[in-house]
Amino acid sequence: MTEPSSQPGPQPRPELSIVGTQVYRGPNVWSYEPAIHLVVDLGVLEDWPTDRLPGFTDRLLDLLPGLRNHSCSRGRKGGFVERLTEGTWLGHVTEHVALQLQQEVGHDLRRGKTRQIAGEPGRYNVIYGYSDETVGLAAGRLAVRLVNHLVEADPDFDFEAELEYFIVRAERTAFGPSTQAILDEAASRDIPWLRLNEYSLVQLGQGIHQKRIRATMTSNTSSIAVDVAGDKGLTGRLLAAAGLPVPRAESVRTVEQAVAAADHIGYPVVCKPLDGNHGRGVCLDLRGPDDVRAAFGTAQEQSRGGSVVVESFIAGRDYRCLVIDGRIAAIAERVPAHVVGDGRRTVAELVEATNADPRRGVGHEKVLTRIKVDEAALELLRNQDLTLDDVPEPGREVRLTLTGNMSTGGISIDRTFEAHPENVEIAEEAARVIGLDIAGIDFICPDITEPVRETGGAICEVNAAPGFRMHTHPTVGDAQFIAKPVVDMLFPPGTPSRIPIVAVTGTNGKTTTARMIAHIFKGMGRKVGMTSTDGVVIDERLVIKADASGPKSARMVLQNPRVDFAVFEVARGGILREGLGYERNDVAVVLNVAADHLGLRGIETIEQLADVKSVPVEAVPRNGYAVLNADDPLVRSMRRRCSGDVVWFTMEPAGTEIRDFVDLHCRRGGRALVLDRSDKGSMIVVRHGSRQMQLAWTHLLPATFGGRARMNVQNSLAAAAAAFAAGAPLHDIRQGLRTFSTNYYLSPGRLNEIDVDGVTVVVDYCHNVPAMRMLGDFVDQLGDSLLATSDLAQPSRIGVISTAGDRRDQDMHDLGAVAADHFDVIVVREDAALRGRQRGETADHVAAGVRARIAEGARCKQVEIVLDEIAATRHAMARANRGDLVVICVDKHAHVLAELESWSNRAQAGANAVDADVVGDPDLGSVAPTAVTG
């Protein structure tokens, strides 16, 4: 941060504003954890740190006293208050306020940082952690409004009201107590989870190991069992058939049927909806036909099917027995909502005081529910000869509901270790009879410590998806850790929850390397999910065709229940936009870092780009591996960021400084893949400590074109190293590399070689300067090989080149200059997406680079501009003779391959050559070729 001027200029005004927002959902350039990134502009407040704003600190601490506990950079409680007193900038204050606001709603977050943006006075990057994305974003916005309000009071800003609204919104999006308990237990076991909707549907685990929960229903919950439990009449008949104690009951659909059933069963009776829940519509202790008639409508309103159950009334206490995976996990006594008189306050005042308990909220948002005074409560008061305005005598218990459900304001008392063994056995048997993996068995009996068959009592309900909060947060007694048996059931000890993840990043070669790794593990019988710039591939089937190298695509793979191994191409843009799409990767592969995409999203230097590329390395756990290119100094320096082990790969020969560095690493017990050269060729050798294992000759790998494609030699080293680190046997790695080729079906758009009527055509995705250098080296070697077999005295090399419109002008110029050294004729085209450029602008810059090198005596003698990709392809093919080499750097490889296939078919059919003159063809969207001779 810059030091403020000694004399402030303009007076402080509330000009703090948010000018940019990003949500990182995984490890990112700022943090290992999910974070929110705000770009804030202080305006004139840049000259007004907190020590120059009279009363600012005191007013802030009065509104948010929790800020006194923030340690900030001082590392001790009260450190942030010290910073406020000494003077800190309001961007930094915004960070801490956003964290504290989230703590106000129960999110324990303490991670944050604020950094000034270089070269932009008054602008800061504010980064802070979040648990819920919606809450985190709202906290940032409210923090900015609060800071501005403290700078200059806003009469329309009521912080107390804003904070209450913020808390209510946070509680609406938060998980309920039951779901949160399961997630906390899963997190303690390092089981990853992913929220699948805005409610309580959550995936635990990844890929093939995944399980799902929705509140307390799980992937193991039987749909039939849920239907049975929802039909109270059927539930009672099944339990009775199993010899379990249940009340006598009949299902009815009319009032008269209900009265007749009550007369048959015997009074007192209970009326309740056939398929209700949470105690809604349950009417107890009905002692005559008139009571039944009055209760029938209430019960029927809550019944989805219109049916009502009339059953005998069992006197006693209300107990909920929670059965998980066939065994009792917890038992709670449920006490109906009530207040106790004190001789001073009215019933209404007692209810208000009870609802003021901070543990009480609306619905299931807190551990207790507020007592609701409705018509049923008023009727119950009348039955007790009371009204809301009466003052009950001291010690008198005033009941406000008949049922003990927590959702109607009841309280719970833990009775887990008091139940008689026979009662425990009955509850467990009831869950087995219905078929529920998680069941709430409602017992009515005088005392759970005595056998119900002797004292009288019965099972009145069996509930699917029972709530946990009466057990995890009992009003009286010890909390029961009931999430543990749930997670034990879903993931028994020793059961994996994660699938191996290999992340591949770098400037060039990511897609090919990712495909090689996926091919190796597919050959081992794994169901591989892969993301790349071509799309999402599940078990060798392209399921989504798009640029899928970002975090959203990674999450799609992790959600697929067939996938047991994941390979992700991780691109710079996705990291900067959202971070990684997962928590960590077992193996991170970094191929290279070169000057590409500079000037985009705040990345101006190659060192900054290396910081972005290092994020997957930082996401490697202690038992994981980073596969790093020892030949690249920027990649080599990433070893310091890796918590796991490093596996090096290098193409440098023995005796060089880099090779000596790698050899030292291996002598210390490390792993590496190297090339050992001899008269026979280059051998890929796996080294692990003192062991050396020969893997394959590079010239025998189809992807290397006999060793001429050095970029694929390097990619093969990286893929083999990643597979070795991921546990693949050497023979499987060898077989995978030997069967992987760059044909269109295995590697579309990457060095696809095609023979079109005697013309050798290579299709590749080359689009930047470093890639063009590697492609040029390959073209030189391939051209020499063609010269030895061609009937032509000097076969021509024709290149169709382009780059993306968002690259810098100099990068475009350099691309053309590099290409000019390797081709005789260059056709410059443009991508369909211009990325902010005018039509023809990108091609002009590339062609200018070619012309500059032609003037300096480069190999190229002619450059032409044909903007449309298909038109450029046709133009290049029309220029070529048998024996020539045409290299097409593609944007839409499928369209180009289809055109080449069509061209080949026409040639085989003896069709006339396609007219090469594309001047003014409106269908092709091209411009006239511009020839420049040297």
Side-chain angles (χ1 to χ4, degrees):
M1 297 181 184
T2 59
E3 288 296 328
S5 59
S6 59
Q7 296 296 326
Q11 292 300 304
R13 295 190 304 274
E15 293 186 353
L16 176 63
S17 62
I18 299 173
V19 297
T21 303
Q22 286 180 280
V23 179
Y24 302 117
R25 297 176 175 87
N28 54 82
V29 294
W30 296 102
S31 170
Y32 297 136
E33 303 290 338
I36 288 175
H37 177 192
L38 303 180
V39 178
V40 300
D41 190 338
L42 270 59
V44 298
L45 294 176
E46 170 68 2
D47 292 326
W48 292 88
T50 53
D51 62 327
R52 291 178 175 168
L53 295 170
F56 179 92
T57 298
D58 292 337
R59 294 196 303 275
L60 177 62
L61 295 178
D62 287 343
L63 293 174
L64 290 173
L67 290 171
R68 300 179 187 276
N69 298 321
H70 289 214
S71 60
C72 197
S73 57
R74 302 294 167 86
R76 61 179 179 273
K77 183 179 179 180
F80 179 59
V81 177
E82 294 177 14
R83 294 291 305 276
L84 287 170
T85 305
E86 297 167 0
T88 188
W89 277 256
L90 296 185
H92 182 211
V93 176
T94 301
E95 168 210 328
H96 281 269
V97 172
L99 288 171
Q100 182 58 37
L101 287 172
Q102 293 182 85
Q103 291 182 17
E104 295 292 324
V105 297
H107 299 177
D108 186 17
L109 296 165
R110 308 180 187 187
R111 301 173 282 106
K113 63 180 68 174
T114 300
R115 300 290 184 269
Q116 187 173 28
I117 300 176
E120 298 186 41
R123 290 204 168 188
Y124 293 81
N125 291 312
V126 177
I127 297 92
Y128 56 90
Y130 71 91
S131 295
D132 183 286
E133 180 180 325
T134 303
V135 175
L137 290 171
R141 292 190 292 267
L142 182 55
V144 168
R145 295 182 63 196
L146 175 60
V147 171
N148 278 328
H149 173 68
L150 294 176
V151 171
E152 181 179 300
D154 180 358
D156 296 327
F157 181 79
D158 183 347
F159 178 68
E160 296 297 333
E162 294 286 345
L163 179 60
E164 182 177 354
Y165 178 68
F166 172 75
I167 293 173
V168 170
R169 286 186 58 191
E171 290 173 345
R172 287 175 181 170
T173 61
F175 288 118
S178 303
T179 306
Q180 192 61 57
I182 297 173
L183 296 183
D184 290 343
E185 178 66 22
S188 71
R189 304 188 190 191
D190 195 33
I191 297 174
W193 59 269
L194 180 66
R195 192 171 192 168
L196 299 179
N197 66 2
E198 64 272 28
Y199 302 109
S200 297
L201 183 62
V202 180
Q203 173 182 313
L204 301 177
Q206 299 170 338
I208 196 172
H209 304 306
Q210 68 177 268
K211 301 289 185 179
R212 290 180 181 174
I213 62 170
R214 187 172 64 188
T216 60
M217 294 179 67
T218 76
S219 302
N220 297 350
T221 303
S222 164
S223 176
I224 294 178
V226 172
D227 289 342
V228 170
D231 186 331
K232 293 177 173 54
L234 177 58
T235 298
R237 292 194 296 273
L238 291 176
L239 296 180
L244 300 178
V246 293
R248 296 178 61 192
E250 294 183 23
S251 290
V252 297
R253 297 187 64 86
T254 67
V255 172
E256 296 309 318
Q257 289 177 349
V259 172
D263 292 339
H264 179 257
I265 292 171
Y267 294 97
V269 296
V270 175
C271 274
K272 60 184 179 181
L274 179 69
D275 48 9
N277 53 33
H278 298 301
R280 299 187 186 97
V282 178
C283 301
L284 305 177
D285 198 14
L286 307 177
R287 297 184 173 273
D290 292 340
D291 292 342
V292 172
R293 289 187 178 95
F296 180 83
T298 302
Q300 193 174 47
E301 285 178 2
Q302 298 296 325
S303 175
R304 291 185 293 273
S307 295
V308 172
V309 173
V310 179
E311 66 182 23
S312 56
F313 175 71
I314 307 296
R317 296 177 180 178
D318 184 357
Y319 296 93
R320 165 62 64 85
C321 302
L322 181 66
V323 179
I324 300 175
D325 199 23
R327 298 181 63 85
I328 281 286
I331 299 175
E333 179 183 349
R334 300 186 296 180
V335 180
H338 68 280
V339 293
V340 179
D342 59 5
R344 295 183 296 105
R345 290 178 289 184
T346 66
V347 173
E349 291 171 337
L350 291 170
V351 171
E352 183 179 357
T354 302
N355 284 339
D357 186 338
R359 296 176 298 173
R360 290 189 181 269
V362 178
H364 291 270
E365 66 186 15
K366 292 188 177 180
V367 297
L368 293 174
T369 301
R370 291 175 184 166
I371 299 173
K372 183 179 179 181
V373 179
D374 53 14
E375 185 57 39
L378 296 175
E379 178 65 25
L380 187 57
L381 284 174
R382 287 192 289 270
N383 293 339
Q384 299 171 79
D385 297 324
L386 290 170
T387 68
L388 288 175
D389 297 326
D390 290 334
V391 178
E393 56 269 22
R396 179 180 178 182
E397 181 179 298
V398 180
R399 300 182 69 181
L400 294 163
T401 62
L402 289 172
T403 61
N405 295 74
M406 300 289 287
S407 57
T408 57
I411 64 173
S412 64
I413 304 172
D414 181 61
R415 303 293 190 189
T416 301
F417 301 107
E418 301 176 14
H420 191 278
E422 184 176 322
N423 296 338
V424 170
E425 181 183 344
I426 290 173
E428 293 175 346
E429 183 69 9
R432 283 190 289 268
V433 168
I434 302 304
L436 288 170
D437 58 335
I438 301 177
I441 313 298
D442 289 347
F443 256 115
I444 301 293
C445 63
D447 190 347
I448 197 71
T449 63
E450 300 293 333
V452 296
R453 287 192 170 98
E454 297 178 6
T455 61
I459 298 173
C460 60
E461 281 189 20
V462 176
N463 298 276
F468 284 178
R469 64 174 175 161
M470 70 182 73
H471 307 293
T472 58
H473 298 84
T475 315
V476 179
D478 296 329
Q480 301 300 317
F481 299 98
I482 53 178
K484 180 182 183 301
V486 176
V487 179
D488 283 341
M489 174 182 68
L490 298 176
F491 297 93
T495 301
S497 62
R498 296 177 181 270
I499 62 173
I501 297 176
V502 178
V504 183
T505 191
T507 301
N508 292 302
K510 299 185 294 293
T511 301
T512 300
T513 304
R515 286 170 174 162
M516 287 180 173
I517 298 169
H519 183 74
I520 291 170
F521 282 94
K522 173 60 180 175
M524 295 170 57
R526 307 298 290 268
K527 304 293 185 182
V528 181
M530 183 185 73
T531 64
S532 71
T533 51
D534 286 332
V536 178
V537 177
I538 303 296
D539 196 23
E540 291 193 327
R541 182 179 294 276
L542 183 66
V543 296
I544 293 180
K545 187 176 181 181
D547 184 347
S549 56
K552 291 182 180 179
S553 304
R555 290 192 290 270
M556 290 176 59
V557 169
L558 297 178
Q559 289 181 48
N560 191 290
R562 283 198 297 155
V563 173
D564 61 10
F565 195 94
V567 182
F568 297 144
E569 178 183 338
V570 180
R572 163 210 58 89
I575 296 175
L576 291 173
R577 187 172 59 253
E578 292 187 57
L580 300 180
Y582 47 86
E583 176 187 355
R584 65 175 185 247
N585 37 242
D586 301 275
V587 180
V589 182
V590 186
L591 300 170
N592 42 62
V593 179
D596 190 25
H597 296 101
L598 299 183
L600 300 174
R601 289 184 174 270
I603 304 301
E604 304 295 338
T605 67
I606 193 171
E607 289 76 18
Q608 291 176 320
L609 183 60
D611 288 338
V612 177
K613 299 289 187 182
S614 66
V615 170
V617 176
E618 295 173 343
V620 171
R622 292 186 180 276
N623 61 344
Y625 297 89
V627 175
L628 303 179
N629 183 1
D631 302 336
D632 188 317
L634 289 172
V635 177
R636 198 163 59 245
S637 66
M638 294 181 189
R639 67 187 184 277
R640 300 181 182 89
R641 305 188 181 208
C642 181
S643 299
D645 294 331
V646 174
V647 181
W648 297 106
F649 66 93
T650 176
M651 295 180 64
E652 291 293 315
T656 61
E657 182 180 355
I658 298 300
R659 185 63 176 271
D660 291 343
F661 167 80
V662 173
D663 290 345
L664 177 61
H665 171 77
C666 293
R667 286 198 297 273
R668 292 173 174 173
R671 305 183 183 196
L673 270 82
V674 301
L675 285 182
D676 280 353
R677 293 174 173 83
S678 67
D679 294 340
K680 296 181 180 179
S682 297
M683 171 66 73
I684 299 177
V685 177
V686 178
R687 300 188 58 186
H688 187 186
S690 60
R691 300 168 58 202
Q692 297 193 42
M693 297 155 280
Q694 293 185 341
L695 187 64
W697 293 103
T698 58
H699 64 273
L700 297 181
L701 305 182
T704 68
F705 289 82
R708 292 188 292 271
R710 289 179 56 81
M711 72 282 269
N712 276 352
V713 173
Q714 184 182 78
N715 294 339
S716 298
L717 283 167
F724 183 55
L730 290 187
H731 64 273
D732 287 316
I733 300 174
R734 183 182 299 114
Q735 179 67 14
L737 294 179
R738 284 181 174 176
T739 55
F740 181 86
S741 69
T742 59
N743 65 59
Y744 184 71
Y745 299 101
L746 281 180
S747 188
R750 270 59 176 186
L751 283 189
N752 305 143
E753 183 181 14
I754 309 161
D755 183 276
V756 180
D757 194 27
V759 178
T760 300
V761 181
V762 175
V763 175
D764 190 70
Y765 189 62
C766 171
H767 61 283
N768 58 43
V769 176
M772 183 58 72
R773 290 196 179 99
M774 291 186 287
L775 180 62
D777 176 69
F778 171 68
V779 167
D780 290 342
Q781 296 195 51
L782 184 59
D784 293 342
S785 175
L786 293 175
L787 178 61
T789 59
S790 175
D791 295 333
L792 300 176
Q794 184 65 45
S796 293
R797 304 180 194 173
I798 303 172
V800 179
I801 66 172
S802 182
T803 190
D806 57 2
R807 302 306 194 268
R808 300 176 301 179
D809 293 352
Q810 187 60 49
D811 295 333
M812 297 176 181
H813 186 279
D814 292 347
L815 179 79
V818 172
D821 289 330
H822 303 284
F823 296 100
D824 300 302
V825 177
I826 292 179
V827 180
V828 183
R829 62 162 190 85
E830 282 190 344
D831 291 351
L834 300 179
R835 302 194 185 189
R837 298 274 183 173
Q838 295 297 316
R839 185 71 167 163
E841 184 181 354
T842 299
D844 287 341
H845 285 300
V846 175
V850 178
R851 295 185 188 111
R853 282 296 296 140
I854 290 175
E856 295 171 0
R859 177 187 182 105
C860 183
K861 303 305 178 187
Q862 189 171 359
V863 58
E864 303 173 333
I865 297 177
V866 181
L867 297 183
D868 181 79
E869 185 170 41
I870 299 301
T873 300
R874 293 174 181 172
H875 186 63
M877 294 303 300
R879 290 194 61 115
N881 297 310
R882 285 179 175 270
D884 286 346
L885 172 63
V886 176
V887 177
I888 305 174
C889 299
V890 295
D891 176 29
K892 307 292 185 183
H893 57 74
H895 298 166
V896 171
L897 265 294
E899 173 61 27
L900 292 174
E901 183 177 2
S902 175
W903 191 282
S904 179
N905 292 338
R906 289 196 300 270
Q908 292 175 3
N912 295 328
V914 176
D915 187 357
D917 182 12
V918 295
V919 178
D921 187 336
D923 294 331
L924 298 179
S926 60
V927 300
T930 302
V932 180
T933 58

